[in-house]
Amino acid sequence: MSYTLPILDIQTITHDVKQFTLSKPDNYSFIPGQATEVSIDKDGWREEKRPFTFTSLPEDEKLEFVIKTYTDHDGVTNQLSTLTTNDYLIINDPWGTIQYQGKGTFLAGGAGITPFISIIRHLYRQDKLDGNTLVFSNKTEQDIILRNELEEILGDNFINVITGNGRNKNNDSTFCYLDGFIDQQFLTEIIDDVSQKFYVCGPLPFNRSMLKYLKALGANPETLVFEQ
């Protein structure tokens, strides 16, 4: 089923990420971590559906999406970057396999953080966030989505991995600077219990690498939660 919803608010989160707040249909529900197909209610774009994750909570009065926009080509996210509160989006029923299954480590690459935002906010609101760690990989510090909020609610359990060049050294112990992507050696240094749950979401090469490394470290495939 599809729903055509007005955009109520648009906020800039980072240099290429925006937060869209929409009205919420009556009795519409989802599980934290789930996504839906979204399209723009304009001629030529209604059938151009893309998956985006809810970053709001099921009990919230409005729906929220945090979306990375790519303006180097005229695709859906570029069009999204031009919208205003006079525009409408079309969403469908929720779907997705990334759901919270117990305490563990969340491994996110770039915009792959979005399924975890609703989960982490949900756990925080329920006072059940203790025992969970978020490892967030980005090219630069400027790319970190919702950095202030995540720092506030996760504290030392929020580990930022900066993989790009030209970075500034940060004395904060929650920042790690790597010459390249997260590798197996890095995971060995930060993970002391491979029996915990591992939640993985990011670009496909990131997902494949993380799952490969975690299995090599001895993680049981049944403890790995990712979009299949």
Side-chain angles (χ1 to χ4, degrees):
M1 186 171 180
S2 65
Y3 308 84
T4 302
L5 307 173
I7 299 175
L8 303 177
D9 186 58
I10 302 173
Q11 297 290 329
T12 297
I13 303 299
T14 73
H15 62 98
D16 60 358
V17 174
K18 291 182 179 293
Q19 176 182 285
F20 295 84
T21 302
L22 313 180
S23 65
K24 184 178 181 180
D26 292 339
N27 301 317
Y28 190 90
S29 184
F30 60 91
I31 298 171
Q34 286 191 312
T36 186
E37 297 287 339
V38 178
S39 59
I40 300 169
D41 187 28
K42 288 188 176 183
D43 291 343
W45 293 99
R46 293 184 182 90
E47 299 305 315
E48 295 292 328
K49 300 177 182 179
R50 299 293 185 273
F52 295 115
T53 309
F54 302 101
T55 52
S56 50
L57 299 183
E59 63 268 25
D60 290 346
E61 294 181 355
K62 301 178 180 65
L63 296 177
E64 178 190 288
F65 298 90
V66 172
I67 298 174
K68 183 173 182 178
T69 58
Y70 298 87
T71 58
D72 56 346
H73 63 282
D74 192 23
V76 171
T77 65
N78 181 56
Q79 283 294 313
L80 284 170
S81 70
T82 69
L83 299 184
T84 71
T85 53
N86 294 319
D87 293 310
Y88 289 75
L89 296 180
I90 303 169
I91 73 166
N92 293 271
D93 291 327
W95 56 269
T97 58
I98 295 183
Q99 298 174 23
Y100 187 66
Q101 298 181 20
K103 295 180 180 179
T105 296
F106 294 81
L107 296 164
I113 185 69
T114 54
F116 302 154
I117 293 172
S118 183
I119 293 173
I120 290 170
R121 286 173 168 173
H122 181 68
L123 293 171
Y124 179 68
R125 188 173 292 183
Q126 292 190 323
D127 197 23
K128 295 180 179 179
L129 194 51
D130 285 351
N132 292 284
T133 299
L134 170 62
V135 181
F136 193 11
S137 177
N138 287 283
K139 290 182 180 179
T140 73
E141 291 186 37
Q142 289 69 41
D143 294 316
I144 301 172
I145 297 171
L146 298 177
R147 172 179 172 180
N148 291 339
E149 177 184 353
L150 293 171
E151 284 180 342
E152 180 178 351
I153 65 178
L154 284 162
D156 290 341
N157 290 324
F158 181 32
I159 300 173
N160 285 284
V161 180
I162 306 302
T163 63
N165 295 322
R167 52 196 180 273
N168 295 319
K169 293 298 180 181
N170 191 311
N171 293 325
D172 189 334
S173 62
T174 63
F175 271 77
C176 300
Y177 296 87
L178 301 181
D179 292 321
F181 300 111
I182 293 175
D183 57 18
Q184 186 172 329
Q185 178 59 39
F186 177 79
L187 293 179
T188 302
E189 294 173 358
I190 66 169
I191 294 172
D192 56 11
D193 176 15
V194 294
S195 67
Q196 65 181 300
K197 290 290 184 180
F198 293 98
Y199 303 87
V200 179
C201 192
L204 187 56
F206 176 89
N207 292 349
R208 287 175 174 168
S209 296
M210 295 306 100
L211 295 173
K212 174 185 174 182
Y213 298 149
L214 290 169
K215 290 176 181 177
L217 292 176
N220 186 325
E222 294 183 358
T223 69
L224 307 178
V225 181
F226 58 98
E227 201 67 68
Q228 302 185 39

